[in-house]
Amino acid sequence: MSRKTSKNNDLLSSVRKDTSPKIYSLLVDLVNDNREDLADLVLKIDYLLEYSSSCIRQKDFEEARESLSKAENRIKMLEMQKVDTEYIRYLYDGINNKCK
């Protein structure tokens, strides 16, 4: 069976330009393990982290805390499925420290 890449998978091709290389690598691993449901969850977490960061830049700390809480819950779901969340956790911690 061939390895799925952005050339032969719709999910990967749609997010290749928008995600960081480490997130994309995690997505490729999940898609190749036939866990596209978890790959979708990673994309949602990535979006929530970007949104939280944007809220912090705009000084909307309440909205940032709310979206960080949602991201935390989804990260815990990934950890229960034994997904490597080291980089996602690193991003989360960095954004959470900026939130007052």
Side-chain angles (χ1 to χ4, degrees):
M1 187 165 122
S2 66
R3 185 163 165 83
K4 294 178 185 173
T5 64
S6 63
K7 293 183 182 196
N8 58 13
N9 184 280
D10 293 335
L11 174 70
L12 294 176
S13 65
S14 68
V15 300
R16 183 168 187 217
K17 294 177 183 175
D18 298 331
T19 59
S20 70
K22 290 186 178 184
I23 295 290
Y24 181 74
S25 174
L26 177 59
L27 292 172
V28 169
D29 291 340
L30 289 171
V31 167
N32 281 303
D33 290 340
N34 290 324
R35 296 306 310 259
E36 286 196 29
D37 57 327
L38 295 179
D40 286 333
L41 194 58
V42 168
L43 288 173
K44 289 176 185 176
I45 293 169
D46 188 46
Y47 172 78
L48 285 170
L49 293 176
E50 287 179 29
Y51 180 69
S52 299
S53 182
S54 175
C55 288
I56 291 170
R57 282 193 301 274
Q58 297 173 6
K59 308 287 190 225
D60 188 358
F61 297 109
E62 184 177 330
E63 185 70 22
R65 277 191 288 277
E66 184 178 326
S67 58
L68 283 171
S69 173
K70 291 177 184 178
E72 172 71 19
N73 291 336
R74 289 181 169 99
I75 290 170
K76 287 179 183 177
M77 286 184 216
L78 286 178
E79 289 171 345
M80 286 191 300
Q81 296 292 325
K82 307 290 190 238
V83 175
D84 178 24
T85 59
E86 180 181 355
Y87 182 68
I88 294 173
R89 182 61 70 178
Y90 168 77
L91 292 175
Y92 172 82
D93 290 340
I95 294 169
N96 194 34
N97 287 339
K98 291 179 184 178
C99 191
K100 297 178 183 178

